[in-house]
Amino acid sequence: MVRRAIDAFNAFMRGDLSSETVAKAADPQVELHWHGVGWTMPDFPQQVRGAPGLIAVWEQMRSAMADVTWEPREFIEASNDRVLVPIRMTGRGRESGVPTEAEIFQLWTIRNKNVHKVESFRDRAEALEAAGLSE
C-alpha cells in the first residue's frame, strides 16, 4: 500500500497528472503533516486534509522543483496500521537548476486499506518516537 502511494507520487512528479494516479495514492480524506521538515517553498502548508489538498501540494512541489523522486530506504512496521519509511528525496530547482537532496522520515497510517495519514519528519529520533519505536 505505502509503496504504491510512493510510486503514485513519483509518477505525478514525472507528469502523470491523472486522477487515477492520485486515487491510487490515498483515501479521499487523507491527512498530510510536516513536523520540522522546513520546506523552503513560500506558502508551503504544514498540514493538508483531503484529496484536493494533496493534489494542490503535489502540484506546488512539481511547479517549484524538477526531477523530484522519493526513494524509500526501508519499510519499518510500527504497528498493524502504521509504517515508518525513511526516504531519500532528490530533485532540482525548476528555475535555478540547483540540485537538492534531503532525507525525510514518513510515518504512514493505513485505514480501510487506504493511506489515511502521512506525517513527515526531518529527525529520525522524532519519527521513531511518533511511531512508538526506539533506535
Side-chain angles (χ1 to χ4, degrees):
M1 175 83 51
V2 173
R3 186 180 306 275
R4 187 175 74 198
I6 292 170
D7 289 346
F9 171 83
N10 286 330
F12 191 93
M13 291 298 130
R14 287 191 307 270
D16 179 355
L17 308 179
S18 71
S19 58
E20 181 180 323
T21 298
V22 176
K24 287 182 198 176
D27 179 280
Q29 300 303 314
V30 66
E31 296 178 27
L32 306 177
H33 302 269
W34 289 269
H35 303 280
V37 172
W39 298 107
T40 58
M41 292 182 283
D43 302 321
F44 194 83
Q46 295 300 299
Q47 183 173 312
V48 173
R49 284 196 168 89
L54 171 72
I55 293 167
V57 165
W58 284 10
E59 287 176 343
Q60 186 177 1
M61 288 181 73
R62 192 169 182 278
S63 70
M65 299 179 68
D67 305 323
V68 175
T69 303
W70 284 359
E71 178 188 332
R73 299 298 195 159
E74 63 182 313
F75 295 86
I76 304 165
E77 187 175 339
S79 66
N80 287 340
D81 63 347
R82 297 173 88 199
V83 178
L84 182 62
V85 184
I87 291 179
R88 178 178 170 255
M89 185 180 82
T90 59
R92 61 183 172 79
R94 188 162 297 282
E95 290 184 20
S96 68
V98 173
T100 184
E101 180 176 331
E103 183 173 37
I104 58 175
F105 303 89
Q106 293 186 326
L107 180 57
W108 296 71
T109 302
I110 308 301
R111 185 177 293 158
N112 299 323
K113 299 183 181 180
N114 286 308
V115 174
H116 175 69
K117 184 190 292 187
V118 182
E119 297 176 81
S120 296
F121 302 85
R122 286 287 296 192
D123 182 74
R124 180 181 178 90
E126 187 179 352
L128 286 166
E129 182 180 334
L133 302 171
S134 60
E135 285 288 345

